[in-house]
Amino acid sequence: MSNTRIERDSMGELHVPEQALYGAQTQRAVDNFPISHQRMPAQFIRALILAKAAAAKANVELKQLSESQGKAIVDAAQGLLEGDYMQHFPVDIFQTGSGTSSNMNANEVIATLASRLLGEPVNPNDHVNCGQSSNDIIPTTIHVSAALGLHEQLWPALVHLVQVIERKAVQVHPFIKTGRTHLMDAMPVRMSQVLEGWAQQLKANIGHLQDLLPSLQSLAQGGTAVGTGINAHPQFAAGFSRQLSNLTQVQFTPGKNLFALIGSQDTAVAVSGQLKAIAVTLMKIANDLRWMNSGPLAGLGEIELEGLQPGSSIMPGKVNPVIPEATAMVAAQVIGNDTTITVAGQSGNFELNVMLPIIAQNLLSSIELLANSSRLLADKAIASFKVNEPKLKEALSRNPILVTALNPIIGYQKAAEIAKTAYKQGRPVIDVALEHTDLSRSQLEILLDPEKLTAGGV
C-alpha cells in the first residue's frame, strides 16, 4: 500500500497515512466508525488539547514527567492550537462511548509532535496520558469545553441581545399596541412593555445558567478509570485544575466526588436543560416578531422587519422574516439536542457513562447555535425593525376589549354586551358605550384612553 507507514499498538500492526501525526489507535477508530463523517467539535478538541497541556504541567510539578518531556508536550499542544489542528482529529462522533478513540487521537498527535521537538520518543500512553484515563479526561473535557463555550460565546451573545432589546424598548416606548391573549384581542400594552418582557426572560435564563457554573467547572480529572484515582498522583487533580485555570483564565476545581463525575453526566444534562429553556425563550421572541411583522396587508402589520433578501422564487416583492425563522429552527434543534443528551445521560452504567461523545457534540452544538442566532436576532431583527404606528392606532380604536376598563363602573355583564355589539357592528367601542351607558364622551375618552390603560401610564 503506497503513501502509508506501519504503526503498531497492542493489537498489532496497521497501515497509517504516511503524513498523519496520529498512530494506530486513531486509524483503527477511523476504520471502525465510518458513520456520520462528522468529527468531534472543534471546541471539544481545543479543550482536550488544553487539558493535555495542563496535565503535563501538573505531572512535571509532581515529578511524574521530566521537565524536558513536559515542556515538549506543552509546546506540542500550544503549537497545535496555533494552527489548523482539526485536520489531525478525524475520529467520528459516533465511536466508543467513553471517547477513548478521541483521547488516544490527542495522545498520539501530541506524542508525535513532542517527540520531534524533544529529539527522543514521547509515548502517547506513558507520557501524554500520564495520570489520566479516557474515563476521566473525556468527562473533564466535556465540562471544560462547555464552560469555555458559555464564557466565550453564549453569555456575551445573550448579554448583547438583552442590551439591544432594552435600547429598542426605549425607542418604541411611545407606541401602544393591542395586546393579545390566545391570539385574540386583549387590553393594550406598550411596545416597550413587550420588549422588556423579552429582556427579563433572557436575564432570568442567564442567571439560571450562572447558577450551574460551579458544577460545570468542577472536574472529574484525577479519578482515572473508575473514580479511585489509580495510577494518578494524589495531588494530580488539584495540580491539573490549577494549571488548566491558568491556561484558560476560567476557574476550575477538582470534583468533590470523582465517582459521580465519571459514572454520570448529570451536570451536562442540567446545563442542556437550561439551554433548552433559552431556546424556548428565543422561540417565543422569534414568533412574536413574526406575528407582529405578518402581512403587510392581510396580517397584523404592526412592525416591519428589515428586508434582508427576496422571499420567494415565484412571487415578486415578497419579503419574509428570515432571521426569526432561522432562530425558531435553532430553538427546535436545541430542544432536540436536549432530548439526545437526556437519553445519553441515562447511560451511566455503573462506573462510567458510555455516551460521552454524543453528549459533547450536542451540548457544544446547542451553545454555538444559541450564541450565533442570538446575535443575529439582536442585530438583524430587533435593532432594525420599524413600528407601523397608523396600524397600531387603527386596531386600538376598534378594539372592543377596551371596555374592560368600564367593568368597575357598569359591571362585567353590561360591558360584555357593549363589546359584542361593537364587534358585530364593526364600530369603535366608545361610540357603542356612549349609547348604552350614562357616561359622557369626555368621561369615556378618559376611561378608555389606551395610554392610561397600560400599566405605568405615560
Side-chain angles (χ1 to χ4, degrees), residues 198 285-293 303 324 377 382 385:
W198 297 347
I285 295 172
N287 282 335
D288 281 357
L289 287 167
R290 291 172 61 229
W291 276 106
M292 287 191 292
N293 180 75
I303 65 171
L377 191 66
I382 293 170
F385 77 72

Side-chain angles (χ1 to χ4, degrees), residues 29 78 110 124 152 154 173 188 194 221 256 272 277 286-287 294 308 310 315 324 351 354 417 451:
Q78 291 176 341
I110 292 173
E152 297 171 357
L154 186 54
H173 179 74
V194 174
Q221 203 59 54
K256 294 180 180 179
S272 178
N287 282 335
S294 62
L308 297 173
M315 293 176 280
E351 278 66 60
V354 290
E417 292 175 8
E451 187 167 322

Side-chain angles (χ1 to χ4, degrees), residues 9 103 132 171 212 228 441 446:
D9 61 11
N103 182 37
Q132 306 151 59
Q171 295 173 13
L212 291 168
T228 60
R441 178 171 286 275
I446 294 172

Side-chain angles (χ1 to χ4, degrees), residues 153-215:
Q153 294 177 282
L154 186 54
W155 271 323
L158 291 176
V159 168
H160 176 67
L161 177 55
V162 169
Q163 291 172 342
V164 169
I165 290 173
E166 290 180 333
R167 285 198 298 268
K168 192 68 174 184
V170 173
Q171 295 173 13
V172 302
H173 179 74
F175 302 110
I176 300 170
K177 67 186 290 291
T178 299
R180 291 179 182 84
T181 58
H182 304 268
L183 295 181
M184 304 299 287
D185 298 345
M187 292 299 290
V189 294
R190 287 187 175 274
M191 287 286 292
S192 59
Q193 292 170 325
V194 174
L195 271 68
E196 286 162 1
W198 297 347
Q200 183 53 46
Q201 283 183 269
L202 290 165
K203 287 178 180 179
N205 281 318
I206 292 171
H208 296 325
L209 208 50
Q210 288 174 329
D211 290 342
L212 291 168
L213 265 187
S215 296

Side-chain angles (χ1 to χ4, degrees), residues 110-434:
I110 292 173
T112 297
L113 293 173
S115 297
R116 293 176 183 177
L117 291 169
L118 188 59
E120 61 184 62
V122 173
N123 188 273
N125 296 84
D126 298 334
H127 301 140
V128 184
N129 202 57
C130 180
Q132 306 151 59
S133 162
S134 300
N135 298 358
D136 60 1
I137 194 73
I138 298 300
T140 290
T141 302
I142 291 174
H143 278 217
V144 172
S145 57
L148 294 178
L150 294 182
H151 282 286
E152 297 171 357
Q153 294 177 282
L154 186 54
W155 271 323
L158 291 176
V159 168
H160 176 67
L161 177 55
V162 169
Q163 291 172 342
V164 169
I165 290 173
E166 290 180 333
R167 285 198 298 268
K168 192 68 174 184
V170 173
Q171 295 173 13
V172 302
H173 179 74
F175 302 110
I176 300 170
K177 67 186 290 291
T178 299
R180 291 179 182 84
T181 58
H182 304 268
L183 295 181
M184 304 299 287
D185 298 345
M187 292 299 290
V189 294
R190 287 187 175 274
M191 287 286 292
S192 59
Q193 292 170 325
V194 174
L195 271 68
E196 286 162 1
W198 297 347
Q200 183 53 46
Q201 283 183 269
L202 290 165
K203 287 178 180 179
N205 281 318
I206 292 171
H208 296 325
L209 208 50
Q210 288 174 329
D211 290 342
L212 291 168
L213 265 187
S215 296
L216 189 62
Q217 292 172 203
S218 178
L219 305 180
Q221 203 59 54
T224 64
V226 294
T228 60
I230 185 69
N231 291 348
H233 190 284
Q235 299 303 314
F236 178 68
F240 173 88
S241 291
R242 184 176 66 256
Q243 294 291 351
L244 187 63
S245 299
N246 291 336
L247 286 171
T248 62
Q249 301 304 303
V250 173
Q251 188 61 45
F252 293 102
T253 58
K256 294 180 180 179
N257 187 298
L258 303 184
F259 294 96
L261 290 172
I262 293 175
S264 78
Q265 280 294 303
D266 291 352
T267 297
V269 171
V271 172
S272 178
Q274 186 52 50
L275 297 177
K276 178 179 70 173
I278 295 170
V280 169
T281 295
L282 292 185
M283 180 79 86
K284 185 261 195 293
I285 295 172
N287 282 335
D288 281 357
L289 287 167
R290 291 172 61 229
W291 276 106
M292 287 191 292
N293 180 75
S294 62
L297 301 179
L300 299 182
E302 294 176 340
I303 65 171
E304 180 184 345
L305 291 169
E306 178 184 357
L308 297 173
Q309 63 187 58
S312 173
S313 62
I314 190 173
M315 293 176 280
K318 193 171 188 293
V319 179
N320 297 329
V322 292
I323 297 299
E325 287 175 351
T327 300
M329 286 190 282
V330 163
Q333 181 64 60
V334 170
I335 292 167
N337 288 350
D338 178 67
T339 299
T340 298
I341 291 171
T342 300
V343 173
Q346 298 172 34
S347 294
N349 307 136
F350 297 106
E351 278 66 60
L352 179 66
N353 182 286
V354 290
M355 288 197 182
L356 298 177
I358 199 63
I359 290 174
Q361 156 66 19
N362 282 270
L363 194 62
L364 296 177
S365 171
S366 292
I367 290 171
E368 183 174 21
L369 289 171
L370 290 172
N372 291 342
S373 61
S374 292
R375 288 191 178 277
L376 288 173
L377 191 66
D379 297 337
K380 293 193 172 186
I382 293 170
S384 57
F385 77 72
K386 299 176 182 178
V387 177
N388 186 350
E389 186 175 15
K391 190 79 170 182
L392 298 184
K393 289 183 174 180
E394 178 189 357
L396 273 175
S397 69
R398 299 170 64 84
N399 183 4
I401 301 301
L402 296 178
V403 78
T404 302
L406 303 183
N407 284 358
I409 301 171
I410 63 175
Y412 180 93
Q413 195 63 38
K414 185 68 173 178
E417 292 175 8
I418 294 172
K420 289 179 181 179
T421 301
Y423 270 128
K424 185 176 181 180
Q425 297 178 358
R427 298 169 60 201
V429 68
I430 190 170
D431 293 343
V432 178
L434 189 61

